[in-house]
């Protein structure tokens, strides 16, 4: 049987070991730098039936693997006259998701001939569900959610773009 002094001694050693190994860590705050829009070109949208100019966007290009994988992630917002244009090397089926994207987007899938093949309107922030192009495409235009409807952008409309 352990003596009372021995129990106190064991308790003191255990207490000292437990609390001396715990160091108070300084609270660290990780802050991310705001990603600013980079105006790299212009994109026009034309009504399919009349070839009338519907709207113009200032665009930022996403072409490298990193740019296409990151897209508009980690950004707080985008102005209504701004958009991101993804350019893929070949026409193929593509799927996008909203992981780490903080605001709603209209995702416009565009064929190699620069006509709109399909759209995913009002894609919800942070939703990781795949949003398929539903047809082989070469380009994707991301604009603020709800803007395609507001501007009357439709499947079959045509786009043109230029670099600065």
């Amino acid at each position: 049987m352990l003596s009372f002094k021995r129990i106190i001694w064991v308790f003191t050693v255990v207490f000292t070991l437990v609390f001396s190994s715990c160091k108070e860590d300084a609270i660290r705050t990780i802050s991310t730098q705001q990603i600013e829009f980079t105006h790299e070109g212009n994109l026009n949208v034309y009504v399919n039936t009349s070839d009338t100019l519907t709207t113009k966007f200032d665009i930022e290009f996403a072409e490298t693997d990193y740019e296409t994988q990151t897209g508009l992630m980690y950004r707080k917002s985008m102005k209504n006259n701004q958009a991101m244009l993804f350019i893929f090397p070949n026409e193929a089926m593509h799927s996008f998701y909203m992981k780490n994207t903080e605001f709603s987007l209209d995702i416009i899938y565009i064929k190699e001939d620069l006509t709109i093949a399909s759209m995913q309107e009002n894609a919800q922030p942070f939703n990781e569900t795949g949003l398929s192009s539903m047809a082989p495409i070469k380009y994707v235009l991301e604009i603020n959610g709800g803007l395609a409807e507001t501007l009357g952008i439709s499947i079959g409309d045509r786009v043109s773009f230029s670099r600065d």
Side-chain angles (χ1 to χ4, degrees):
M1 182 177 244
L2 292 174
S3 71
F4 181 73
K5 286 184 178 181
R6 184 86 169 152
I7 292 172
I8 296 296
W9 181 83
V10 170
F11 176 77
T12 304
V13 169
V14 170
F15 181 82
T16 303
L17 287 174
V18 168
F19 286 101
S20 67
S21 66
C22 295
K23 295 182 181 178
E24 190 174 313
D25 288 334
I27 296 173
R28 291 186 232 176
T29 303
I30 299 173
S31 62
T32 56
Q33 202 171 30
Q34 177 66 30
I35 302 169
E36 298 296 325
F37 179 83
T38 304
H39 182 260
E40 298 175 321
N42 300 294
L43 183 134
N44 297 326
V45 181
Y46 301 91
V47 176
N48 177 37
T49 55
S50 65
D51 221 21
T52 303
L53 180 65
T54 303
T55 192
K56 296 180 180 185
F57 291 102
D58 294 336
I59 54 171
E60 182 174 337
F61 291 96
E63 297 178 276
T64 67
D65 285 342
Y66 176 78
E67 290 169 340
T68 57
Q69 290 171 13
T70 307
L72 292 169
M73 290 180 180
Y74 311 110
R75 299 187 191 205
K76 301 286 182 205
S77 64
M78 185 170 57
K79 294 178 182 173
N80 280 343
N81 69 326
Q82 297 173 332
M84 180 168 277
L85 182 66
F86 295 77
I87 302 176
F88 297 101
N90 301 306
E91 193 170 52
M93 296 289 288
H94 288 278
S95 184
F96 276 56
Y97 60 85
M98 297 291 289
K99 180 179 180 180
N100 299 318
T101 305
E102 299 183 31
F103 56 100
S104 177
L105 294 174
D106 288 346
I107 304 170
I108 302 171
Y109 300 100
I110 304 166
K111 296 189 279 188
E112 191 166 14
D113 70 0
L114 298 174
T115 59
I116 297 174
S118 65
M119 295 189 291
Q120 293 285 342
E121 296 182 68
N122 293 302
Q124 294 305 301
F126 303 107
N127 189 334
E128 295 186 35
T129 303
L131 303 169
S132 173
S133 62
M134 309 297 275
I137 51 100
K138 183 170 172 91
Y139 309 96
V140 171
L141 182 67
E142 290 185 339
I143 61 176
N144 283 325
L147 203 51
E149 182 178 3
T150 300
L151 297 172
I153 298 172
S154 303
I155 294 171
D157 287 353
R158 187 178 56 81
V159 302
S160 68
F161 65 90
S162 61
R163 296 177 188 270
D164 284 347

